[in-house]
Structure formats: C-alpha cells, structure tokens
Amino acid sequence: MGQSGKSWEKRLSGETDELAIDFVESLSYDKRLYKYDIAGSIAHAQMLCDQKMITKAEFAEIKNGLFEISEEIASGKFKFDKAQEDIHMAIEAALIKKIGDAGKKLHTGRSRNDQVATDARLWMRDEIELLRTRITLLQKALVKLATKYTNSPMPAYTHLQRAQPIVIAGYLLSFVEQFQRDHIRLGNCSDLLNVSPLGSGAVAGSTIPLDRESTARQLGFKGIMRNSMDGVSDRDFCAEFIFDCSLIATHLSRLAEDFIIYSSSEFSFVTIDDKYCTSSSMMPQKRNPDMLELIRGKTGSVYGSLVAMLTILKGTPSTYNRDMQEDKIHVFNAADTVSASVDMAAAIVSNMKFNTKHIAAGLDEGFLDATALAEYLVKKGVPFREAHGVVGGLVAGCEDKNCKLGDVPLKEFQAACRVIEDDVYDSLGAGNVTRQYLSAGAVGPEQAAEEVIYWKEQLKKR
Ligand code: ARG
C-alpha cells in the first residue's frame, strides 16, 4: 500500500489531490466519535469471532489493539492524519499498523456506511442523557428560585400589555413546564434511535453470516434495523435531535428575552447578577445582559443547523451519499450550542433576583384586577358579556380620573351596576385577585406553592 495506506489505492490511480484531501475529510470533527467507533468495532469483532470468521487469538489482538488506540487518543498521543479522511479509517489504519494481519480482518462484513450510522447513534444516545441532565439542573434552578416567590404578585402580560396579576413563582414554573416537554422529547428521540444499523454493510447486508442481534445486544441497542438500505441511509434521528435542540433554544430564547426586558430600567423587575453582565467600552453607566442576548442570538445557529440537516437529506438519492457526512457538523453544533446555553441559563437563574418591592409598587398600574371584577359580577348573577361592559366603563372612568378601580366609591360602583356591594373591595388589587384564583393551573399563591412541591418531587426522582 502507498502513502495513505488506504485499501482502495489499487483501484484508484495516483494520489488524491491535496485540495480534495482537505475537502473530503471529516476527521477534524468526527474524531469526537472515537470511543463509539471503538466500542462498535469491538462488538463487531466479538461477533466475527463467535461466528468463526476470526480466531479467538485474532479477536484478542484486535480488542487489545483498539484499547491501546483508545488510550492514545484519550491522552492526546494519537497522531491524526487527515489523509485518513475520517475517524473510522484513522483507527483501522492505526490498528493494522499496530497488530498487522488480524487488524485487516476487522472490516469483514462491514462498511463505513453502517459504521458511521452506528457511531452516530451511540454518540447521540449518550449526548441526549447529558443534555437531559443539564435540562434537569435548569429546571431545579427555576424551581428553587420559584420557592422564594410563591407569595409575590407580578403582572402577567399578553401582547406585552398588562393582563392579570399572577405570582412570580407561577411565572417561573411556566418555563419548567416547557423544559419538561423538551426533556420528554429528547427521551422519545433516544428511544426511537436506539436500534442498530450495524451489519447493514454498505447497503445490502452481507454474504457473511453476521449476527446482528449479537452486536446490537453488546452495544445496548434494543433491536436491529430491519432493512439494510434504511440502516445506512436513515438520518431521521439527526433531524429530530436538532429539532429537539431547536425547541430548547426557542424556550431559552424566550426566557432570555423576558429577562432582558425585565432587567431594563423601564421594568426593573429582575436583577441579573453582575457575573453575567458586561459593561460598555464607551458608556460608563452600562450594565448589559450580554449572556442572555447570546442565548437568544445562538438560537439562530441551532435553527440554521436544522435547516441545513433537512436540506442535506432532501435531494439525496437512496441510500448512503457522502452528503451525509455533513450531518455531524450540524448535530454537533446543535448539541454544543444548546448545552452551553442551558448551562448558562441555569447559572443566571441560580443567581438572579426579583425586585419584589418595585414590582409590588407598580401593581396598581394597568387595571390588572379588571377581569376579576367582571368575574365578581358574574358570581352575583350578571351575565359575563354584560359584566365585561360594566367593568370596561368603570375602567374608562378611572382612566379619566387617573385612579384605580379600588379607589372608586361604592356609590359609583352601584350606579354602574346594582349588584355591587362593599365586599367588592376584597376582589380588587393584585394580591387579592391572585388569592382568589380557583381553577386548576391558575397562577395564584396556593397553586404555586403546591406546584413547587410537585416539581421538587418530580425532579428529585431523576
Ligand atoms: N466519514 C463518512 C461519513 O461521515 C463515513 C462514511 C463514508 N462512507 C463512504 N462510503 N465513503 O459519512
């Protein structure tokens, strides 16, 4: 064999162009799959041995050689040569160099096509567990923060206009719910991808009696992919994983957007710890929430990876095509970007505080209690549509007089609607309203306290 030591040197004439070597290589980024590549190779070799395709002695040589290579890579001693194209060829070439002939038998009944598909699934299975742990830590941070604010009212917004009063804890728990779905979605993704393509070969399987159930079992897959053509070409799991990452990024981005707005002087609802702010090189007074802005900004890169992944797949003919090598760039980008953002968000949440006094002082603005007043009338027998009109009129009157609903004298209330009695004042004001919420899922202090307990229990189980 010539310089690159590739088995196809007899088929192709001359050396690969230097430009092409750089263009085709994936070693620079797929080397992070090395552990999975080695695990897959050991399982494959064990199976070849059980099937009497290699001897026990050859298997032992292969296994020990691969272990050594694994240690060399882990310790940084391994010399990567981009002429080897990818991690699969790099490891195989090193093995052959190390143990000679036995190493040349490892690739029996196998192709890089089923090999890379196997590696990617194994990698993703682990990555998903790591990401789920990160999400759990973020959820725990949100719940911990919520614990402090089960009794602290704040305005809830729709259309970014003041809507109804809620308690801060319930607001924070609304994000815990979003991340819970992300956690579940990743679990589903992991379940679906957890089948083995190994033994699919290049596309059609093999004339060698491969025991695919055995390699699947050894690698912890729950079964085998039933069709070798699908086995080598399916990248649904990549698209799905990046989609799941995209939704996590979406949820993080919305959280970041809220906190950016809430930390502005105009709102002053929250204080982001100085550790997570930067200043301006020109304006000395500035305290900028750059980490949150970057969480929001990095969402673009994750979405970009999703579109890239889907686009890579859409035009490829059946089955494996080299286009698919690009999958890893986007899968890794989505995983790395989202992991960093989840960790950053968890750190910010763990160190932020709500300015409850300032929030409370502003709760009289914006008629947050108007809906509760309409419901007070409903409870006194007024049809809701009528009640809505009555309160609308009262709000307009208050706006003219620059006062709040709680300032309206009983006489005026009764002039607007006969059924109003002096208990009306118990239904006015943000604090009163939040305490009166009755329906399941409502965001009052009682519900929030219960939900905090619920989430603590749920998250403790993980
Ligand atoms: N580096 C390749 C990839 O990531 C491995 C598979 C290459 N297969 C092939 N027949 N050229 O997709």
Side-chain angles (χ1 to χ4, degrees):
M1 282 193 269
Q3 203 187 315
S4 74
K6 281 182 191 156
S7 58
W8 59 68
E9 283 189 338
K10 293 211 171 73
R11 171 69 182 82
L12 304 179
S13 58
E15 295 288 329
T16 314
D17 188 327
E18 194 62 38
L19 210 56
I21 289 174
D22 281 339
F23 195 71
V24 81
E25 71 87 26
S26 53
L27 187 55
S28 51
Y29 53 91
D30 68 14
K31 58 179 169 215
R32 69 192 276 181
L33 295 175
Y34 82 90
K35 270 191 221 152
Y36 303 100
D37 197 73
I38 286 172
S41 286
I42 291 174
H44 183 68
Q46 171 77 67
M47 179 276 293
L48 289 177
C49 177
D50 295 343
Q51 297 299 92
K52 312 266 185 293
M53 300 305 302
I54 61 172
T55 67
K56 285 198 168 118
E58 286 168 333
F59 170 59
E61 276 187 83
I62 291 173
K63 190 159 112 178
N64 293 335
L66 288 170
F67 278 146
E68 278 176 33
I69 291 168
S70 180
E71 272 159 32
E72 285 163 24
I73 297 176
S75 66
K77 281 191 210 118
F78 191 88
K79 292 238 171 331
F80 287 104
D81 173 6
K82 67 180 180 210
Q84 296 294 351
E85 292 190 18
D86 54 31
I87 188 65
H88 326 295
M89 306 264 281
I91 290 174
E92 195 190 342
L95 183 69
I96 293 170
K97 200 164 158 215
K98 209 180 260 293
I99 67 169
D101 283 346
K104 292 184 187 164
K105 294 191 174 179
L106 173 61
H107 214 50
T108 306
R110 189 176 70 169
S111 155
R112 279 187 293 161
N113 296 357
D114 58 342
Q115 195 176 353
V116 71
T118 305
D119 294 5
R121 283 169 195 266
L122 291 174
W123 174 86
M124 196 175 287
R125 217 171 53 184
D126 278 0
E127 188 67 17
I128 284 177
E129 280 327 298
L130 291 175
L131 191 45
R132 291 179 98 204
T133 302
R134 293 187 143 96
I135 290 173
T136 301
L137 292 176
L138 171 58
Q139 288 179 299
K140 284 184 174 168
L142 285 161
V143 172
K144 193 167 171 201
L145 189 63
T147 312
K148 297 186 195 160
Y149 301 115
T150 51
N151 239 322
S152 316
M154 74 177 270
Y157 294 82
T158 64
H159 312 265
L160 200 56
Q161 306 293 319
R162 288 186 165 221
Q164 291 179 284
I166 47 141
V167 292
I168 293 171
Y171 161 69
L172 291 168
L173 294 178
S174 74
F175 287 104
V176 176
E177 298 281 347
Q178 298 171 45
F179 294 121
Q180 181 64 12
R181 289 192 295 276
D182 293 329
H183 193 270
I184 294 169
R185 246 188 299 274
L186 283 171
N188 293 343
C189 178
S190 186
D191 277 349
L192 205 52
L193 70 80
N194 195 20
V195 280
S196 176
L198 193 57
S200 296
V203 60
S206 172
T207 60
I208 293 179
L210 304 172
D211 183 351
R212 294 189 54 207
E213 297 285 355
S214 158
T215 47
R217 217 178 308 116
Q218 292 181 65
L219 295 169
F221 286 116
K222 66 172 188 280
I224 63 168
M225 295 185 74
R226 301 170 64 89
N227 180 305
S228 62
M229 297 178 78
D230 182 50
V232 295
S233 69
D234 171 33
R235 294 293 184 277
D236 293 0
F237 66 102
C238 297
E240 197 176 339
F241 174 72
I242 304 174
F243 174 75
D244 292 353
C245 288
S246 298
L247 267 189
I248 297 169
T250 306
H251 295 150
L252 288 170
S253 189
R254 295 187 74 184
L255 173 141
E257 171 70 359
D258 269 9
F259 291 174
I260 290 165
I261 295 174
Y262 291 171
S263 67
S264 67
S265 308
E266 284 71 14
F267 272 79
S268 290
F269 278 12
V270 301
T271 304
I272 306 299
D273 196 286
D274 275 352
K275 285 191 283 219
Y276 308 113
C277 294
T278 65
S279 194
S280 156
S281 55
M282 184 169 172
M283 299 168 283
Q285 86 286 10
K286 290 283 273 181
R287 226 173 138 273
N288 297 329
D290 298 43
M291 310 307 140
L292 291 166
E293 294 164 65
L294 282 168
I295 288 174
R296 190 177 58 190
K298 284 172 189 288
T299 306
S301 156
V302 183
Y303 291 179
S305 283
L306 178 61
V307 174
M309 187 67 239
L310 292 169
T311 311
I312 285 165
L313 296 176
K314 77 172 271 289
T316 49
S318 297
T319 51
Y320 178 83
N321 300 272
R322 196 61 176 257
D323 314 43
M324 288 172 180
Q325 174 165 292
E326 298 274 309
D327 60 359
K328 284 168 285 298
I329 295 174
H330 303 292
V331 163
F332 293 159
N333 175 54
D336 294 345
T337 307
V338 163
S339 295
S341 292
V342 172
D343 289 354
M344 191 70 256
I348 292 172
V349 167
S350 299
N351 289 280
M352 70 189 279
K353 59 178 208 301
F354 280 77
N355 307 324
T356 48
K357 279 209 186 101
H358 178 79
I359 296 171
L363 285 170
D364 288 341
E365 297 282 321
F367 305 99
L368 291 163
D369 45 7
T371 309
L373 177 57
E375 289 178 353
Y376 165 89
L377 297 181
V378 166
K379 283 181 264 179
K380 301 258 179 194
V382 182
F384 180 73
R385 275 291 158 239
E386 223 170 275
H388 187 277
V390 168
V391 177
L394 285 164
V395 166
C398 284
E399 249 172 0
D400 284 346
K401 285 185 223 122
N402 200 13
C403 71
K404 52 187 202 286
L405 284 166
D407 297 332
V408 175
L410 187 58
K411 281 235 164 63
E412 263 177 56
F413 268 135
Q414 287 173 335
C417 184
R418 285 184 295 105
V419 301
I420 299 181
E421 294 167 87
D422 65 358
D423 62 352
V424 69
Y425 298 103
D426 300 337
S427 296
L428 296 174
N432 285 338
V433 173
T434 57
R435 279 187 292 277
Q436 288 186 4
Y437 287 139
L438 282 178
S439 54
V443 189
E446 234 172 83
Q447 292 93 337
E450 280 169 23
E451 285 300 293
V452 162
I453 293 168
Y454 168 82
W455 277 113
K456 278 188 177 159
E457 282 297 312
Q458 290 298 308
L459 297 171
K460 206 162 61 190
K461 290 184 207 147
R462 290 196 198 145

